[in-house]
Amino acid sequence: MKAPEQYDPSKQPSKDSMPSPSIQPSAKSPALPAGTPTITQTHKRTAQADKKPFQWQFLSPKYWGIWLLLALVLPLIYLPLRYQFWLGRKLGTLLYKVAGSRRRDTLINLKLAFPEKPEVERELMAKQVFVNQGIGVFETLCAWFRPNVFTRTVSISGLQHLVNAQNEGRPVILLGAHYTMLDLGGMLCTQFFPMDGMYRPQNNALLDWFVYNGRSTILGKQIASRDMRSFVSSIKAKHVIWYSPDQDYGLKQGVMAPFFGVPAATITASRRMAKLGDKTHPPALMALHTYRQTPDNLPRGKRPHYHLTITPELSNYPSNDEVADATQVNEVLEGLIRIDPTQWMWFHRRFKHGPTGRTDIYK
């Protein structure tokens, strides 16, 4: 599998001034040919997902801060993408400076995963992680509310692996990862195939309502992580299901397996998923990588471009060895993340559990 060309975050253009509001017509993004189908017109889904109803409790004072933040940010998604990228860079840079614990966790993770790199390079990587996440905020909001700005910005490799499995009458479980573009990756995938998605409900009721309803514009069905009945229903219907097993949920749900050469608590739910459904047509497990190829300093006259990669089906999976299975999943995801490590969310505490419980590496 040939990876897309890697973007080197240390080679960004040095100029970081606000895009001039007086852009000449020739500097605008190339116009799409007349009659070009939009993202929403070519969006594929198995069903129209129901949205969660609004609750009057969302107007209580404890949610006013969230409403204020939404009121400030949402109007900005109607700016040209080049301006949004600029704002995302500034947001990411600010978060890197003020989010001390997240910055520290990111630097610790990068030190564990890339011990061969000099400290100064890891610091540049950490800053770029936050910059990419700042841009990812706008990419995700646009994916929910203004998806047509991404019309004709995506390419894909490995789609034949998914199509071949579907032609065999098999459901497909796409093993994703927490990339900084978040739900834009899902929206771009649905240009080629419909899919359902698994999620963990938010602790904050208003945020859960907002995120769930945003994703309902993308996915045919959203499956709560503990709702196995809905998951089995999607498996029996031969759907494509998007599931990300790349975070640390402890050893009650997983085993220790290497991730970037570091022992990590790795969830084993995917091997249980692979055993569900029709035994003669078992689910096919593949990995999905979503990647922004365009530099974060979007040049004038250029549209962003994104690449999706679907790997071949995991071989001999599931086996009789859950550690070997977890190791295989981690190896596949690690290889994809290495295409551009700064587009993965390193600020999560990926290595917080060891064989005997919680570690103290983040203290």
Side-chain angles (χ1 to χ4, degrees):
M1 178 180 66
K2 184 178 180 181
E5 182 180 355
Q6 182 169 347
Y7 169 57
D8 184 352
S10 66
K11 297 181 180 178
Q12 300 177 70
S14 58
K15 185 176 180 180
D16 194 37
S17 58
M18 178 67 178
S20 172
S22 58
I23 299 175
Q24 298 300 318
S26 60
K28 293 182 179 180
S29 299
L32 295 173
T36 299
T38 65
I39 286 275
T40 53
Q41 290 173 331
T42 54
H43 182 204
K44 298 174 177 58
R45 71 169 82 204
T46 54
Q48 178 64 53
D50 293 330
K51 293 190 174 184
K52 289 187 175 182
F54 181 85
Q55 301 177 38
W56 289 109
Q57 65 159 321
F58 294 157
L59 299 179
S60 64
K62 70 176 182 179
Y63 295 121
W64 287 358
I66 297 175
W67 285 117
L68 177 60
L69 183 62
L70 293 176
L72 292 173
V73 174
L74 283 179
L76 300 177
I77 71 173
Y78 294 94
L79 293 171
L81 283 177
R82 184 164 175 259
Y83 290 77
Q84 293 186 50
F85 276 34
W86 183 89
L87 290 169
R89 292 202 309 276
K90 293 301 182 183
L91 174 62
T93 301
L94 175 63
L95 291 175
Y96 183 80
K97 292 178 179 179
V98 302
S101 61
R102 291 290 188 177
R103 179 180 68 247
R104 183 179 64 252
D105 293 345
T106 302
L107 290 169
I108 291 172
N109 285 335
L110 291 173
K111 184 176 182 179
L112 291 170
F114 301 97
E116 76 284 358
K117 293 184 180 294
E119 182 178 357
V120 65
E121 184 174 349
R122 292 197 298 266
E123 289 180 357
L124 287 174
M125 291 175 67
K127 291 177 182 178
Q128 190 63 34
V129 169
F130 280 78
V131 166
N132 286 333
Q133 186 58 81
I135 295 172
V137 169
F138 290 95
E139 290 173 325
T140 293
L141 291 174
C142 282
W144 292 348
F145 302 112
R146 199 179 168 224
N148 288 338
V149 297
F150 299 112
T151 297
R152 293 191 67 175
T153 62
V154 61
S155 57
I156 189 170
S157 58
L159 180 60
Q160 72 276 12
H161 305 307
L162 184 146
V163 172
N164 290 341
Q166 289 185 314
N167 288 341
E168 294 171 359
R170 302 170 65 192
V172 175
I173 300 173
L174 278 182
L175 302 178
H178 287 78
Y179 299 110
T180 53
M181 72 170 66
L182 295 171
D183 289 16
L184 174 56
M187 173 59 77
L188 296 177
C189 283
T190 56
Q191 293 299 288
F192 303 96
F193 51 86
M195 67 180 182
D196 302 336
M198 297 195 71
Y199 78 102
R200 286 182 174 268
Q202 303 283 329
N203 293 327
N204 183 291
L206 175 57
L207 285 179
D208 186 69
W209 171 82
F210 182 73
V211 173
Y212 185 95
N213 287 350
R215 289 176 175 168
S216 69
T217 63
I218 298 173
L219 302 170
K221 181 169 69 171
Q222 296 184 66
I223 307 169
S225 56
R226 298 183 182 276
D227 188 0
M228 292 309 296
R229 179 176 295 182
S230 291
F231 180 83
V232 171
S233 175
S234 289
I235 287 290
K236 289 182 177 180
K238 315 294 185 185
H239 289 181
V240 177
I241 305 170
W242 187 19
Y243 171 64
S244 297
D246 60 329
Q247 293 187 320
D248 184 341
Y249 296 114
L251 294 180
K252 288 184 178 180
Q253 306 176 59
V255 297
M256 297 300 295
F259 184 65
F260 281 84
V262 183
T266 303
I267 196 166
T268 56
S270 55
R271 70 191 303 270
R272 296 191 292 274
M273 296 173 182
K275 298 178 181 179
L276 298 175
D278 187 348
K279 302 302 180 183
T280 60
H281 297 85
L285 271 78
M286 305 168 189
L288 169 68
H289 182 249
T290 60
Y291 171 60
R292 174 169 44 79
Q293 291 182 309
T294 310
D296 58 68
N297 191 4
L298 190 62
R300 290 185 181 181
K302 297 293 184 181
R303 296 168 58 80
H305 188 267
Y306 302 87
H307 189 77
L308 310 176
T309 300
I310 299 175
T311 69
E313 179 181 355
L314 272 63
S315 60
N316 190 32
Y317 190 97
S319 69
N320 295 324
D321 187 338
E322 61 180 358
V323 174
D325 289 345
T327 299
Q328 182 180 183
V329 169
N330 280 354
E331 287 177 347
V332 172
L333 293 180
E334 177 183 334
L336 294 171
I337 291 170
R338 284 183 181 275
I339 292 172
D340 183 352
T342 65
Q343 292 193 40
W344 190 69
M345 297 181 181
W346 288 99
F347 40 78
H348 288 143
R349 294 188 169 186
R350 183 62 185 91
F351 307 110
K352 65 185 177 184
H353 285 96
T356 58
R358 279 188 172 267
T359 66
D360 59 359
I361 61 173
Y362 295 106
K363 293 182 180 179

